[in-house]
Amino acid sequence: MRSEIKGLALIVLASFGISSLALWALGMTSFIPQFFTLAMTDSINPCTFVIYTMLLIALSVREISKRRLYLIGAAFIAAVYISYYLLGVGLLYFAGYLPLWVAGVAAIIFGAYTIATGLMEKSRIADKKGVKKRIFSSDATAVGAFTLGIIVSTTLLPCSAGSYLVYAIIISKAGQALAFLLLALYNLVFVLPLVIILLAMGSVTESKRFSQAMVRRSRELSVVAGILLIAIGVWVLTGASL
């Protein structure tokens, strides 16, 4: 339990530190609480930990070396980052046509949905069995992990679409160049927990143990994420602006 708290605290502190420094450099310090809230609802998403746990279990079965673990894990994380960024670019163009209040309503709806599915312990991963089959049948190579990361990214959309759409609508009002930069920062925070699990845990066994612990607490994490999303919705509807 203590190691789980330490790991989660490390994720939160690192996420907050990176996002705060970047937004301060951009002169957007007033947006730090909102950015951090939205990014964290995605980065502590139980669905992400479920997918990553499957990958770690598959790797532990094959008994690979630590060096190879880092290489495969890095390739997988890079693929998720790139895929999510490109999906975000598409969302930005769509979100540009939507008024800001839509983000507020969407945040409240998705927040309530996240809480409800979390309390019912209902999986929001599309084709979970298919994902598991792909992970355990893929080659334990960097190329295989990268390809796998691209494929499974689409399965995370039902879990992350709410926060991502809300964020895209908000930043689409900031101008194209800044929006692309803010999208890159968001996705950095999104994959940061996976990077920390990969590097800070020290071995496949420890990484797997921590990731599984996060999955076991999916109910609590979903409730927290849902409450944060609803809070963002209220913030938007009460006159938010970048």
Side-chain angles (χ1 to χ4, degrees), residues 16 19-36 182 235 241-242:
F16 184 77
S19 58
S20 297
L21 185 61
L23 290 172
W24 173 80
L26 291 169
M28 300 177 65
T29 52
S30 62
F31 186 54
I32 290 174
Q34 292 78 25
F35 171 88
F36 180 68
L182 291 171
W235 170 74
S241 62
L242 282 179

Side-chain angles (χ1 to χ4, degrees), residues 32 43 45 58 104 144 159 164 186 202 219 232-233:
I32 290 174
S43 62
N45 198 312
C159 296
Y164 213 14
Y186 179 95
R219 192 172 187 175
I232 286 293

Side-chain angles (χ1 to χ4, degrees), residues 99-115:
L100 194 56
W101 64 264
V102 173
V105 174
I108 292 172
I109 291 173
F110 279 113
Y113 169 74
T114 301
I115 292 172

